Amino acid sequence: MSYHFNEIEAKWQKYWAENQTFKAKNKSDLPKFYVLDMFPYPSGAGLHVGHPLGYIASDIYARFKRHKGFNVLHPQGYDSFGLPAEQYAIQTGQHPAITTEDNIKRYRQQLDQIGFSFDWSREVRTSESDYYRWTQWIFIQLFDSWYDKENDKAQPISILETIFFAEGNTNVNAVCDEDVEAFSADEWNAFSSEEKQKILLKYRLTYLAETEVNWCPELGTVLANDEIVNGVSERGGFPVVRKKMTQWSMRISAYAQRLLDDSEALDWPQPLKDSQTNWIGRSKGALVKFQILNSSHPQPFPEGREPRYLTGDPQISGELLHRAKEMRKKPTEGEAILWQKLKAKKLDSKFRRQHPIDSYIVDFACLSKKLIIEVDGEIHLQQKEKDGERELQLNQKLGYRVLRFTNQEVLEDINEVINKIENTLNSLSIGEGWGENETKTDNKKHISVFTTRPDTIFGVSFMTLAPEHELVQEITTSEQKEAVNAYIAKSAKRSERERMADVKTISGEFTGAYAIHPLSGEKIPVWIGDYVLAGYGTGAVMSVPCGDQRDYDFAKHFGLPIPNIFEGIDISEEAYAEKDGTKIANSDFLTGLAYKEATQKAIEALEAVNAGKGKINYRLRDAVFSRQRYWGEPFPVYYVNGLPQMIAEEHLPLKLPEVEKYLPTEEGEPPLGRATTWAWDSNKNKIVSNEMLKQVQHDGTQNDVTPSGVEGSSGKGIYPLELNTMPGWAGSSWYFFRYMDADNEEIFVSEEAQKYWENVDLYIGGSEHATGHLLYSRFWTKFLYDRGMVSVKEPFKKLINQGMILGMSAMVYRIEGENTFISKGLIEGKSVQPIHADVSFINSSDELDVEAFKSWRPEFADAKFILENGKYVVGREVEKMSKSKYNVVSPDEICSQYGADTLRMYEMFLGPLEQAKPWNTAGITGVHNFLKKMWKLYHNDEVFAVSEEKASADSMKTLHKTIKKVTEDIEEFSFNTSVSTFMICVNELTAQKCNQRELLEPLAILIAPYAPHIAEELWSKLGHDSSITTAEYPVYKESYLVESSKDYPISFNGKMRFTMELPLEMGRDEIEKAVMADERTQKQLDGRAPKKVIVVPGKIVNIVG
RNA sequence: GCUCGAGUGGCGGAAUUGGUAGACGCGCUGGAUUCAAAAUCCAGUAUUUUCGGAUGUGCGGGUUCAAGUCCCGCCUCGAGUACCA
């Protein structure tokens, strides 16, 4: 009886569907196991042979677990919102919902014919409103949350409001926007509702903010960082530009550290974890402030006007002056000596002693240079904190530089003290110091930089700002203005892509401004250069040319100094970027220290003068969540006076409106701007016509403009709705929870279902989702965990990346300038142009069906062909499978020609799951023959024939060897080797003429996960009337494998020469004796005496000599 | 540039803690069957050879009784990332 796979497969696919064989129960005494494939997007092209690879692997595992007695959840569904359907809609006018539905039908039919054990009763589609209502719901929860750093978790916004009400925001440790200003409880309570909303928006986990985004004009939408590859859009490959827009953002940065920490324990491929780690990009260092020496608007003292020396706080100036006079009368010893020296030494600058500044009296002050000198007695050691506060006020707020000496320093080495003062004065050289008449605001200006090498702070010889840096315009001197603006214009014109491609060219411009080194007080020129990225850190760097190659190159190029601060390191050729291997030199108090201590000391010193602090910086940016697109989830948001309001949960879903066209409006609004029924009636809680909105406006009630530009009114409670939609990753960031309880209308997943299924035990998919879907899913899961909505911190316990199946493109060669194609063997020396030919025209010997090719496209109809040996031979190239390369192979043909079981086994047989491999149908006959051979084991010619007799010991040994190997292989996801094992097993059983039930029954179960249709058929023929699906997996018994002897390999100097069968119970000495006695040994030794004989019982014998 | 991963016959790929390199399949060669083909079955298939053997897992060293496997230094290919301060 021959193996009619088509009939068998159709029969069992029907059986599984009718009997709901793979339906998982949410209540079960069995242990659970959750196997999931990465969410497919139903594209119009259907499946090619590469897609099912992961599905087959996960299906084998799911089926294996069912045999092992697990309650298995193995669902499937569609990530059905997305760009391709919308692009198609723009071109053809067909509603994306129809396109999507058609594509899903095709997908489903293709999936079904491969025999997957999916529980289709739980199917979800992100574009269905009963699904996306919960996506909208989660969005609302994010809006209703803030990140509490104190407890390191998301909290309800109501808690934050309670804190603001009671104590303002000064003690709140939250992740928030950078521009949040401090307020007290009184101030908070005095704020209007709108002011409060604006402030809260700065704290919410999803927030509306004007951000610089990646705008793709071709796609008409913004893209997230992970949707851009090499500076162009991942989808379509269109250029991307930076643009400022008001957008919804997700505060994923709040979770950066937890995403990093928790990834360590995940059973994921290391490269995938690495790429998440890199993407998050944690770096430890310091934030350092450099004051700007103001030279942009030199304001010489107006003629005839005295500088203002009354710098004390006017409200208490009388009291201050009185106390100052008292103090001048009784200086400390140190103060007295210093005053004498300062008077004696003509320092070009006038000093005043015991001078009131703000609410303090300082020891000595040079007002023209804004330098303060303090001489500390013992008392200061005990009031460091107060001094810090005083210094903060003087230094940060008023812009004075404070030099501090101890009494002891002054007494011991007054010359050194004077020298330091002199140096500092010189660094604040004439004309560039703060004039006494300058205003407070000027003093506030500083450049913040982030550095991972605070230990090299004394190696700074210039600073570089990104051309886009907000301070550039302010600080640039009039002389440099023209050059700087020209440079900014030039670099703005260069696209992201150009800038990335052209790393070699060094460019920049001097701003004319100087900053002050916070520790040495030296004057440092400030440059701009586009090697500094506006988007990373603070958009500015302290340039340490001796320790950073980019700074080094920049310094060399512009002839800037390159001070060496590394002991014994030659920096004449290149920078020394290593942290270890040397000590810091020429660096004041850091000299002689190694990287670690120097870093520590430098941060301490910076903190002491309030010019810096230790900081951890992340590369991970908050994720932009708005898309100017039609085919996505609508935001459950309407605007009152431009402020976003959430639609109450009970009124969800907010359904996607109909539009007549899927393009942006003439005003440049997103496609939803075309919807005519897209306003929110906040009294009736429903969507109403935009007419209502206009009517209200005509009534003359208050008008306002939303960020999207739609006019609205608060008069009758009718407001404009958000016009953006959510990005593709919204629906896919939580779908794995929905499968647990797919039909629940009360909640996104019931607590009971979620606690039973927990999270995904095994997740299989491509590595391309490393920094998108997988990171966002982890973020949302952590958020839901924080808010007590799920019980797990991570979505996917174990993850496997299946390798890509590559296509074998077929190339034909057209002679340049002619319509003549030349066979591959003859192209040598000819100028030819390779063209992709459809792989369906190629036979197994790489020969082209010339006639089929000619009728493929009109331009080839009258082409000429130069053949070799009467054939046209094509070239083959391994490339990604893609429609545009005509190398796509569909699983459909394979299924009809060889059957799904053959396809499943062949895809596994190709090689390790994780590895990329080219698709080549050549080997498929071997797998197909194997199945036929197995079928024959159960049949005698045309009849099913299984014997009830006892199987031979040899057969039992074969079976149990197979059980052992296959079980180990499945557990290690080594499916290719288990297919080989099955082949060996069937070969052996065939040779043994084995046909016993004792053996063939367990064999059917063993192979069922791989080739389920044939297994079911044989199972039913064996007399079972229920599915093989839950048949108990055979247990391996070692007793069948016990051997009495071993065929020892006998090697000489490590080379195997012959084998020798010896009893296993033989000891070391006996083995040696037996081997030495063998004549082949003597022949090998050729009379020599062996130096040594190594005997490993049960393994090997090695004779040295 | 940096970070990973991989280099084994004509091809896809096997090889437990270091212990018989090339399992299994494809392809190829020869044979059986057939009028013939397909299908099926059998035998062979790393290289080289003076038929004893010798050489072989990208290259060069090393450790070891023994190395595809461990260590050091290179080369090539692939993936990811990219001026990240």
Side-chain angles (χ1 to χ4, degrees):
Chain A
M1 191 176 183
S2 48
Y3 168 43
H4 296 296
F5 50 87
N6 287 328
E7 285 163 37
I8 294 171
E9 290 177 0
K11 170 181 162 189
W12 288 102
Q13 282 162 15
K14 188 160 167 257
Y15 175 93
W16 295 330
E18 282 170 359
N19 292 277
Q20 302 224 41
T21 309
F22 308 115
K23 193 169 171 156
K25 296 186 193 76
N26 274 8
K27 277 190 187 134
S28 169
D29 294 333
L30 299 175
K32 69 98 189 185
F33 201 88
Y34 186 0
V35 184
L36 187 61
D37 299 298
M38 284 191 195
F39 217 13
Y41 175 81
S43 83
L47 291 172
H48 64 62
V49 289
H51 293 118
L53 184 73
Y55 302 162
I56 294 168
S58 61
D59 197 59
I60 289 171
Y61 205 79
R63 286 175 179 272
F64 170 71
K65 281 286 178 183
R66 288 194 193 96
H67 289 297
K68 281 285 196 179
F70 285 81
N71 180 27
V72 173
L73 176 56
H74 186 38
Q76 188 60 286
Y78 308 97
D79 189 10
S80 48
F81 270 136
L83 281 182
E86 183 163 351
Q87 293 293 71
Y88 189 73
I90 291 168
Q91 284 159 24
T92 64
Q94 172 159 287
H95 197 286
I98 297 170
T99 315
T100 304
E101 180 67 36
D102 288 350
N103 292 349
I104 286 177
K105 272 197 190 128
R106 166 114 178 87
Y107 245 71
R108 176 63 188 273
Q109 179 244 326
Q110 284 190 301
L111 290 172
D112 281 347
Q113 84 183 352
I114 303 174
F116 293 123
S117 64
F118 293 127
D119 176 358
W120 285 108
S121 72
R122 294 170 187 254
E123 181 198 293
V124 301
R125 300 179 185 185
T126 55
S127 59
E128 293 289 329
S129 64
D130 56 1
Y131 179 87
Y132 70 65
R133 70 174 289 185
W134 298 112
T135 310
Q136 293 173 333
W137 181 83
I138 293 173
F139 176 82
I140 295 172
Q141 307 313 306
L142 282 154
F143 185 80
D144 189 43
S145 302
W146 60 291
Y147 200 87
D148 175 2
K149 279 206 237 175
E150 209 62 57
N151 295 297
D152 208 16
K153 63 186 269 199
Q155 302 263 27
I157 209 88
S158 58
I159 292 183
L160 191 65
E161 286 178 286
T162 311
I163 298 172
F164 288 173
F165 176 81
E167 53 178 76
N169 73 344
T170 42
N171 293 324
V172 171
N173 190 3
V175 179
C176 59
D177 289 2
E178 276 174 14
D179 59 352
V180 172
E181 282 175 22
F183 52 82
S184 67
D186 288 345
E187 284 171 304
W188 171 258
N189 295 323
F191 285 149
S192 69
S193 157
E194 287 191 3
E195 281 171 309
K196 285 181 183 170
Q197 286 184 46
K198 279 182 193 162
I199 290 168
L200 287 173
L201 207 46
K202 295 174 193 284
Y203 286 86
R204 297 180 190 274
L205 284 183
T206 183
Y207 60 98
L208 202 56
E210 178 160 276
T211 38
E212 193 154 278
V213 295
N214 305 300
W215 173 254
C216 180
E218 212 80 18
L219 293 173
T221 189
V222 303
L223 299 170
N225 285 338
D226 63 275
E227 290 168 316
I228 300 164
V229 178
N230 295 329
V232 297
S233 66
E234 187 187 26
R235 217 172 258 285
F238 303 119
V240 175
V241 296
R242 312 282 301 168
K243 190 177 172 183
K244 276 211 160 176
M245 286 177 85
T246 299
Q247 301 282 316
W248 284 102
S249 282
M250 287 279 163
R251 223 178 280 282
I252 187 173
S253 59
Y255 284 86
Q257 191 59 48
R258 280 168 68 192
L259 289 168
L260 218 46
D261 293 344
D262 292 350
S263 75
E264 280 167 36
L266 292 175
D267 186 3
W268 288 18
Q270 197 56 42
L272 199 148
K273 289 206 264 185
D274 288 348
S275 73
Q276 287 207 345
T277 306
N278 292 337
W279 191 260
I280 295 168
R282 181 187 200 265
S283 47
K284 208 178 148 189
L287 200 62
V288 185
K289 282 187 204 165
F290 286 71
Q291 296 295 333
I292 293 167
L293 209 50
N294 197 339
S295 59
S296 59
H297 315 288
Q299 294 177 342
F301 302 135
E303 291 257 315
R305 272 187 67 184
E306 275 291 307
R308 258 177 44 194
Y309 61 87
L310 295 173
T311 45
D313 186 336
Q315 292 188 344
I316 51 167
S317 62
E319 174 62 19
L320 282 172
L321 271 172
H322 175 74
R323 277 180 53 196
K325 276 180 188 164
E326 288 298 313
M327 289 165 85
R328 278 176 207 151
K329 285 179 193 160
K330 37 181 179 177
T332 63
E333 210 183 337
E335 285 170 359
I337 292 174
L338 186 57
W339 184 233
Q340 290 308 317
K341 277 278 176 188
L342 283 175
K343 278 208 295 191
K345 189 131 181 150
K346 297 228 162 20
L347 285 174
D348 289 327
S349 305
K350 183 176 178 185
F351 273 87
R352 294 155 194 271
R353 68 173 169 152
Q354 302 300 345
H355 186 80
I357 293 178
D358 198 41
S359 55
Y360 305 102
I361 297 168
V362 302
D363 290 339
F364 304 96
C366 168
L367 295 182
S368 66
K369 294 286 182 71
K370 280 210 159 177
L371 177 68
I372 291 167
I373 295 160
E374 300 262 41
V375 180
D376 300 340
E378 262 70 47
I379 190 168
H380 279 278
L381 296 173
Q382 283 128 49
Q383 54 170 40
K384 272 206 160 150
E385 217 177 284
K386 269 202 161 156
D387 276 356
E389 203 181 291
R390 173 184 173 137
E391 223 163 277
L392 173 73
Q393 183 70 10
L394 293 170
N395 189 314
Q396 299 296 305
K397 302 215 169 138
L398 300 169
Y400 285 87
R401 203 171 137 64
V402 180
L403 274 182
R404 202 174 270 286
F405 300 97
T406 61
N407 242 327
Q408 214 177 346
E409 275 180 273
V410 175
L411 297 176
E412 273 174 16
D413 197 349
I414 182 70
N415 290 333
E416 173 66 14
V417 169
I418 291 291
N419 267 344
K420 276 193 181 160
I421 293 171
E422 208 170 358
N423 283 342
T424 309
L425 278 175
N426 287 343
S427 78
L428 305 167
S429 63
I430 294 168
E432 290 181 41
W434 287 291
E436 285 187 23
N437 61 339
E438 280 182 17
T439 58
K440 274 186 175 183
T441 50
D442 282 312
N443 310 329
K444 268 186 160 177
K445 261 189 262 165
H446 65 260
I447 300 170
S448 275
V449 301
F450 175 74
T451 175
T452 55
R453 296 294 302 274
D455 58 316
T456 65
I457 186 125
F458 286 98
V460 175
S461 65
F462 59 101
M463 302 193 68
T464 317
L465 308 187
E468 302 92 331
H469 198 282
E470 50 181 9
L471 275 178
V472 171
Q473 291 304 331
E474 265 183 77
I475 63 168
T476 304
T477 58
S478 36
E479 302 86 74
Q480 290 300 107
K481 206 115 219 166
E482 203 178 321
V484 165
N485 284 341
Y487 181 72
I488 294 170
K490 195 180 100 195
S491 72
K493 244 190 266 166
R494 293 176 76 192
S495 67
E496 240 356 64
R497 200 173 191 193
E498 266 179 86
R499 246 169 101 163
M500 273 197 279
D502 182 21
V503 177
K504 290 273 135 60
T505 315
I506 295 158
S507 68
E509 199 59 58
F510 180 45
T511 62
Y514 289 86
I516 303 167
H517 193 288
L519 298 178
S520 73
E522 272 173 55
K523 210 175 104 178
I524 299 165
V526 180
W527 286 66
I528 59 170
D530 67 7
Y531 81 96
V532 178
L533 304 177
Y536 183 74
T538 61
V541 299
M542 56 174 227
S543 301
V544 183
C546 67
D548 183 290
Q549 195 56 43
R550 292 156 304 173
D551 294 342
Y552 185 93
D553 295 340
F554 195 86
K556 270 264 152 104
H557 189 261
F558 290 107
L560 294 159
I562 305 177
N564 191 354
I565 51 149
F566 298 117
E567 197 178 295
I569 299 288
D570 174 26
I571 52 153
S572 60
E573 290 300 321
E574 55 177 9
Y576 182 78
E578 245 106 300
K579 285 175 179 160
D580 302 310
T582 184
K583 285 183 173 148
I584 302 292
N586 304 321
S587 293
D588 199 340
F589 58 91
L590 298 179
T591 301
L593 299 178
Y595 160 73
K596 233 179 151 181
E597 304 122 88
T599 301
Q600 184 64 29
K601 278 261 165 73
I603 292 175
E604 278 168 23
L606 288 165
E607 278 173 355
V609 297
N610 229 296
K613 57 176 187 228
K615 200 195 169 197
I616 288 161
N617 203 41
Y618 300 93
R619 199 184 78 124
L620 183 71
R621 302 262 78 98
D622 282 346
V624 177
F625 199 65
S626 299
R627 295 292 181 274
Q628 293 67 46
R629 282 273 153 178
Y630 175 73
W631 195 229
E633 297 87 348
F635 284 86
V637 173
Y638 61 95
Y639 289 90
V640 178
N641 291 339
L643 288 167
Q645 313 294 323
M646 295 296 125
I647 286 168
E649 290 168 15
E650 60 268 29
H651 306 304
L652 298 179
L654 182 72
K655 290 193 184 173
L656 193 61
E658 295 303 320
V659 293
E660 26 78 60
K661 250 189 190 168
Y662 303 97
L663 288 169
T665 65
E666 279 73 25
E667 294 79 37
E669 281 169 353
L672 291 194
R674 293 181 179 273
T676 51
T677 306
W678 198 238
W680 187 251
D681 184 331
S682 65
N683 296 318
K684 295 188 181 136
N685 287 306
K686 60 172 197 173
I687 303 172
V688 293
S689 159
N690 294 6
E691 291 297 315
M692 305 271 286
L693 208 56
K694 284 185 199 150
Q695 257 175 33
V696 177
Q697 282 157 13
H698 276 289
D699 293 349
T701 39
Q702 158 199 1
N703 273 351
D704 32 59
V705 177
T706 70
S708 310
V710 172
E711 293 189 355
S713 169
S714 49
K716 299 213 169 145
I718 294 170
Y719 303 102
L721 282 159
E722 167 75 53
L723 300 182
N724 288 300
T725 54
M726 297 188 196
W729 53 270
S732 61
S733 294
W734 71 280
Y735 78 109
F736 37 89
F737 288 124
R738 188 62 181 169
Y739 282 133
M740 298 171 181
D741 200 5
D743 298 322
N744 199 322
E745 290 179 11
E746 306 299 318
I747 188 167
F748 75 107
V749 57
S750 70
E751 190 181 344
E752 196 189 10
Q754 191 276 318
K755 283 208 166 132
Y756 176 70
W757 293 111
E758 296 177 333
N759 50 10
V760 178
D761 293 286
L762 174 66
Y763 198 37
I764 296 187
S767 55
E768 66 273 20
H769 301 292
T771 52
H773 164 59
L774 291 173
L775 205 57
Y776 296 130
S777 298
R778 294 184 61 212
F779 160 41
W780 279 32
T781 302
K782 287 185 188 305
F783 164 71
L784 292 170
Y785 172 82
D786 284 355
R787 293 294 313 269
M789 291 153 189
V790 300
S791 68
V792 291
K793 293 181 186 173
E794 286 288 340
F796 317 115
K797 280 196 203 104
K798 180 175 178 68
L799 188 145
I800 291 178
N801 285 135
Q802 93 268 19
M804 211 188 312
I805 289 194
L806 302 164
M808 278 278 249
S809 301
M811 311 304 291
V812 292
Y813 304 93
R814 181 161 66 188
I815 296 176
E816 206 106 25
E818 296 175 45
N819 200 8
T820 305
F821 292 85
I822 182 160
S823 185
K824 194 199 170 207
L826 308 169
I827 58 172
E828 192 75 36
K830 295 264 192 335
S831 179
V832 292
Q833 183 186 8
I835 293 172
H836 282 92
D838 195 309
V839 288
S840 63
F841 307 148
I842 317 299
N843 70 9
S844 59
S845 314
D846 290 348
E847 293 154 6
L848 179 74
D849 179 342
V850 173
E851 289 312 310
F853 181 75
K854 277 168 119 174
S855 52
W856 185 31
R857 280 201 252 154
E859 68 259 40
F860 302 144
D862 49 2
K864 290 192 187 68
F865 294 85
I866 301 175
L867 310 175
E868 51 182 321
N869 307 324
K871 307 279 185 194
Y872 187 96
V873 179
V874 297
R876 306 300 312 238
E877 256 171 59
V878 175
E879 292 177 299
K880 211 168 153 174
M881 235 180 230
S882 125
K883 232 164 129 184
S884 63
K885 291 179 179 126
Y886 305 102
N887 60 0
V888 175
V889 183
S890 134
D892 303 12
E893 307 154 35
I894 311 275
C895 280
S896 62
Q897 205 180 337
Y898 298 100
D901 286 340
T902 299
L903 175 75
R904 291 169 64 106
M905 292 201 89
Y906 184 59
E907 292 223 1
M908 292 299 102
F909 186 63
L910 278 176
L913 182 61
E914 303 89 337
Q915 208 173 291
K917 53 233 156 200
W919 177 259
N920 182 355
T921 337
I924 202 161
T925 54
V927 173
H928 189 65
N929 283 342
F930 152 74
L931 284 174
K932 284 202 271 189
K933 213 165 164 182
M934 187 177 85
W935 179 260
K936 275 194 196 160
L937 278 179
Y938 295 74
H939 294 84
N940 187 1
D941 290 328
E942 285 304 298
V943 289
F944 182 77
V946 168
S947 144
E948 303 296 327
E949 288 162 24
K950 270 213 108 33
S952 71
D954 273 357
S955 296
M956 291 311 279
K957 189 176 160 188
T958 299
L959 175 70
H960 281 268
K961 200 171 70 180
T962 307
I963 296 172
K964 181 169 192 264
K965 177 80 172 128
V966 170
T967 310
E968 283 169 4
D969 284 349
I970 292 186
E971 276 158 3
E972 287 162 26
F973 303 93
S974 174
F975 300 112
N976 56 325
T977 50
S978 50
V979 176
S980 299
T981 306
F982 282 124
M983 289 175 171
I984 294 166
C985 172
V986 166
N987 287 346
E988 284 181 10
L989 294 180
T990 304
Q992 293 156 9
K993 300 204 187 327
C994 169
N995 70 340
Q996 288 83 13
R997 170 184 296 273
E998 188 185 7
L999 211 124
L1000 296 182
E1001 217 166 70
L1003 179 63
I1005 301 169
L1006 277 184
I1007 205 156
Y1010 292 81
H1013 309 89
I1014 193 174
E1016 287 276 23
E1017 182 69 14
L1018 293 171
W1019 188 249
S1020 91
K1021 286 188 173 209
L1022 283 161
H1024 301 275
D1025 51 14
S1026 63
S1027 166
I1028 198 171
T1029 302
T1030 49
E1032 202 183 321
Y1033 205 74
V1035 179
Y1036 161 64
K1037 289 207 187 77
E1038 190 153 19
S1039 55
Y1040 290 107
L1041 261 65
V1042 174
E1043 304 258 7
S1044 58
S1045 67
K1046 158 88 188 168
D1047 199 18
Y1048 279 97
I1050 313 298
S1051 38
F1052 293 79
N1053 297 319
K1055 300 263 180 223
M1056 202 279 285
R1057 291 304 171 218
F1058 58 89
T1059 60
M1060 203 173 156
E1061 190 158 340
L1062 294 168
L1064 263 174
E1065 69 265 19
M1066 209 179 231
R1068 185 165 302 196
D1069 295 343
E1070 289 169 279
I1071 294 172
E1072 183 173 340
K1073 215 178 280 172
V1075 171
M1076 292 312 291
D1078 196 282
E1079 58 175 24
R1080 289 170 296 183
T1081 308
Q1082 292 313 315
K1083 195 178 169 196
Q1084 278 292 330
L1085 285 171
D1086 196 22
R1088 284 166 290 143
K1091 286 196 190 116
K1092 207 172 178 184
V1093 180
I1094 310 283
V1095 178
V1096 184
K1099 277 256 162 83
I1100 199 169
V1101 177
N1102 190 17
I1103 297 161
V1104 189

